[in-house]
Amino acid sequence: MFRINKVKGKPFPMESPDRPLTSCMEENRQILNHIFNKCSDISVREFQLDYDKRIDAFIIYSDSLCKPEMINEAILKPIMLELYVNKKELLGDVPGIILKYLLTNYKAGTISRISEVTDAVMEDNLVLIIDGYPVGIKTSVQGYDIRQINEPTTEPNIRGPRDGFVENLGTNLSLLRRRIRTNRLKAESLTVGTLSKTKMYVCYIESIANEKVIQEVKDRISRISIDSVLDSSYVEELISDHPLTLFPLVQYTERPDRAAASLFEGRIAIIVDNSPSVLIVPCTFITLMQASEDYYYSALFASFARLGRFVAINIALLAPATTVAAFSINQAMIPVSLLNTVAGARENLPLPISLEIFLMELVFELLREAGVRLPRTVGQAISTVGGLVIGQAAVDAGIVSPTSVVVVGLTAVASFTFPDYNVGTSIRIARFALIIMASVFGIIGIIFGLMILLAHLCSLRSFGIPYLSPIAPLTPRDLKDTFIRVPWWAMLTRPRFFGSRKPQRNSDQQMRQKLQPPKRKRGDTK
């Protein structure tokens, strides 16, 4: 009944790969053989739908993207059962009869061009072409394996959901649908990459997200002209307002709960196929300092942890540069007792403190990079033990002072507190620049460097939103979720700087009163 051919062999001359399908099955088959020439995983199976009327047909699919068992059991077997056992007659529009009565339970549809056939085969579809009809039938028979849903390793948490995005586009969208069960959650499909043809979804909540920002996101994606998009990082760089800045203007996450919370704020999520990192825009510096756990603990604990992060960012950025400036140029600002202690520890050392700290920071960056590239169990040991061993050995050998090791170690610990990895990378690069300026100009150099950094941050925009919102420009009513987090019963409005069309989370005054904790009278024990 069947004849299976692997696509190979002689080129077949044709006018254009985008030509329409013809009524001659053999001609269509030869054109597809030419297009998929030397593609060993593309299979063609020829068979007859009706012996009496001699209706010939063939199916074409990819072995690497489809399951042969599913093709046999879910596609071919039902068709043959109806035609040869139940004696169903094929009269009139054969493709329409098959699509309406035999493939009703599957994602099936008709296609009429050669380019649509090639795209369908490359998108884990099977295509059925029948002799005498200039159309084909495509149906999904996805058969490749996908990674199971696990907790993201880059964003671990103690409390909250444990699932994370994977590399499958449909699975990632379903994780959002489970958290936002409304028809107002829209997912518009786009395709980028002339060769990779990577699909992506632009997700937003209708009537909450700003229409202008949505249109700007779609316009920027549509302007992407590149042959391949292998990860969401490609899209992140291509749609960024300022591609050459150190600071991330597009946020990414592997946590569905974080993405869903961003959608509720009026922001937009971009899900890219084959990538577990979902992009979120617009992005501000404050949103990069917010962790998902901040909203799973009490407001007091979350505020304490968030304030600790802002202290840590100042330590990670300024501690090495301030040490260099204080002990090399601006020694008058140090108490005499502390200066004598440090001077005694630095006696007979060959290098100035500025060069010591710069080299120690460089060594720590090398250890960090080595820990990332090595296997996980070995990498953690290298980055931790290596730093301790090298630091202690450098002090014992009289190359660096204990002060430099303490400052570099404190800076390293502070740099690990950022919820977003890209923020830590930006701070590390800025730290090296401040060390150089402090070694030349002292405290004046640090102040000048901070002024340049602040002016740069104020000039940044993410899809039209100021990067330092709601601090610059100042929006007092949005400060309730910046340096601290107020209780949920007090967060009744969404961040206004995102331009949400519906800033009120709930406009019902009675509902607001229900959310507030009850007021107890004196002496009331109930």
Side-chain angles (χ1 to χ4, degrees), residues 60 88 150 163 181 184 188 203 206-207 266 282 286 290 300 310 312 328 341 351 366 387 415 442 444 450 470:
I60 181 170
K88 187 176 185 63
N150 296 313
D163 54 348
R181 298 181 183 273
R184 291 164 58 189
E188 299 190 29
C203 302
E206 193 177 35
S207 75
I286 294 298
Q290 297 171 347
L300 183 62
F310 283 99
S328 60
T341 302
L351 301 176
L366 294 177
S415 64
I444 301 298
L450 290 177

Side-chain angles (χ1 to χ4, degrees), residues 255-275:
R255 299 188 60 87
D257 57 329
R258 193 174 186 183
S262 300
L263 292 175
F264 283 123
E265 290 181 346
R267 301 166 72 188
I268 301 166
I270 304 173
I271 309 176
V272 181
D273 197 14
N274 300 317
S275 176

Side-chain angles (χ1 to χ4, degrees), residues 349-457:
L349 292 179
L351 301 176
I353 191 170
S354 59
L355 191 56
E356 282 183 14
I357 290 182
F358 188 87
L359 293 178
M360 288 295 294
E361 287 283 352
L362 186 61
V363 169
F364 185 81
E365 292 299 323
L366 294 177
L367 288 173
R368 188 203 305 267
E369 187 68 15
V372 172
R373 303 304 166 205
L374 290 172
R376 185 175 303 174
T377 54
V378 180
Q380 293 177 352
I382 289 292
S383 58
T384 305
V385 179
L388 294 174
V389 171
I390 292 177
Q392 185 62 39
V395 172
D396 293 341
I399 300 176
V400 299
S401 65
T403 304
S404 301
V405 176
V406 171
V407 171
V408 172
L410 179 62
T411 303
V413 172
S415 64
F416 287 133
T417 61
F418 307 135
D420 192 279
Y421 180 80
N422 286 344
V423 174
T425 303
S426 305
I427 294 300
R428 294 203 301 270
I429 297 175
R431 181 167 67 230
F432 278 102
L434 289 179
I435 291 174
I436 295 174
M437 298 186 71
S439 64
V440 178
F441 302 105
I443 294 297
I444 301 298
I446 296 177
I447 295 174
F448 185 67
L450 290 177
M451 291 176 62
I452 295 176
L453 184 62
L454 183 60
H456 174 67
L457 290 174

Side-chain angles (χ1 to χ4, degrees), residues 227-239:
D227 58 351
S228 63
V229 174
L230 303 180
D231 186 73
S232 60
S233 58
Y234 288 48
V235 181
E236 175 185 354
E237 186 172 349
L238 291 170
I239 67 174

